[in-house]
Amino acid sequence: MLLFLDGDIVIPAERLQRFVKACYLGADISLNNVNRFFNNTARIDAVSMAKSYLNRLLLRPDLGFSSMTAVPHAMKRSVAAWLGYDSLMVPPLAQAKAILQGMRVVQSASVDVLRTNRKRIINQKTNNLVKDLILGDHMEALSFLQSMKSERVFFFDQLRRRHIFGHIGRTAKLASNHFVLPNDV
């Protein structure tokens, strides 16, 4: 089993055991259930929205704000090897790949890392490099999902009837690629 931690946050071993135990009991990946720490909507920032949105796109709204981006979490070594250890550098992408492959991703324990995460120059409100990195990671995961499924991933367009305009849409796209101007302006 692999246990992912933040070196700045001290967590008692017995609380960490829950993550590893979940993997021994059949989970492939055991996430930190951070959902209960979002009882105040003011805490829902862009990063949290990205986590929730990715989970919804993956048809896992039950995961809410939980993500491999947040530590602690655990996974089976075999899962990490299958995903590719290098893919763990982009946690949301690794999570998306795991869920698409039908791996069992669960939330096994709750550790409040939101309150205890140390503030540094790189993760403050303005010029937040950590936020930018995490949002970029989520964009990479979204791009991967779209390449594997479709632009709308698993969601169908229930209101618009785009198929009616199939031919017109292709013609308009073709015209825009050739910069066709009316009356040869």
Side-chain angles (χ1 to χ4, degrees):
M1 299 301 161
L2 300 173
L3 180 63
F4 296 82
L5 303 169
D6 186 330
D8 291 346
I9 303 172
V10 177
I11 303 168
E14 52 276 357
R15 293 185 72 198
L16 295 173
Q17 287 174 342
R18 296 178 194 160
F19 296 97
V20 175
K21 183 178 180 182
C23 291
Y24 277 114
L25 293 176
D28 293 308
I29 299 172
S30 172
L31 300 176
N32 183 6
N33 185 352
V34 296
N35 295 317
R36 68 186 191 114
F37 306 116
F38 288 95
N39 53 4
N40 179 351
T41 56
R43 289 190 92 169
I44 302 173
D45 60 347
V47 168
S48 302
M49 285 188 269
K51 292 174 183 179
S52 176
Y53 182 64
L54 180 62
N55 287 332
R56 288 179 183 281
L57 284 177
L58 290 163
L59 302 179
R60 289 298 308 272
D62 58 299
L63 294 177
F65 302 107
S66 299
S67 167
M68 283 178 57
T69 301
V71 292
H73 65 271
M75 75 173 53
K76 291 179 179 174
R77 186 180 302 268
S78 60
V79 170
W82 185 90
L83 291 171
Y85 291 102
D86 59 332
S87 75
L88 301 178
M89 292 188 293
V90 184
L93 178 59
Q95 181 173 331
K97 287 179 177 181
I99 290 172
L100 282 181
Q101 286 302 311
M103 293 183 183
R104 188 164 177 246
V105 179
V106 302
Q107 302 171 97
S108 56
S110 293
V111 176
D112 187 356
V113 292
L114 304 174
R115 185 180 46 81
T116 58
N117 199 7
R118 228 170 87 191
K119 299 292 181 202
R120 294 193 172 100
I121 292 171
I122 62 169
N123 69 354
Q124 297 297 315
K125 292 184 188 232
T126 58
N127 298 323
N128 188 330
L129 300 176
V130 174
K131 176 187 85 173
D132 294 344
L133 173 71
I134 295 171
L135 290 176
D137 287 351
H138 280 79
M139 292 302 295
E140 195 170 332
L142 174 59
S143 178
F144 168 77
L145 284 173
Q146 289 176 319
S147 73
M148 296 302 292
K149 296 296 178 189
S150 73
E151 277 185 359
R152 298 183 59 82
V153 188
F154 286 110
F155 293 98
F156 299 103
D157 196 347
Q158 297 176 5
L159 299 176
R160 295 177 189 91
R161 294 182 292 169
R162 296 176 199 262
H163 65 280
I164 293 173
F165 297 104
H167 177 70
I168 295 169
R170 283 191 297 277
T171 305
K173 184 176 181 182
L174 179 63
S176 68
N177 287 343
H178 292 348
F179 301 102
V180 176
L181 299 173
N183 301 326
D184 294 329
V185 176

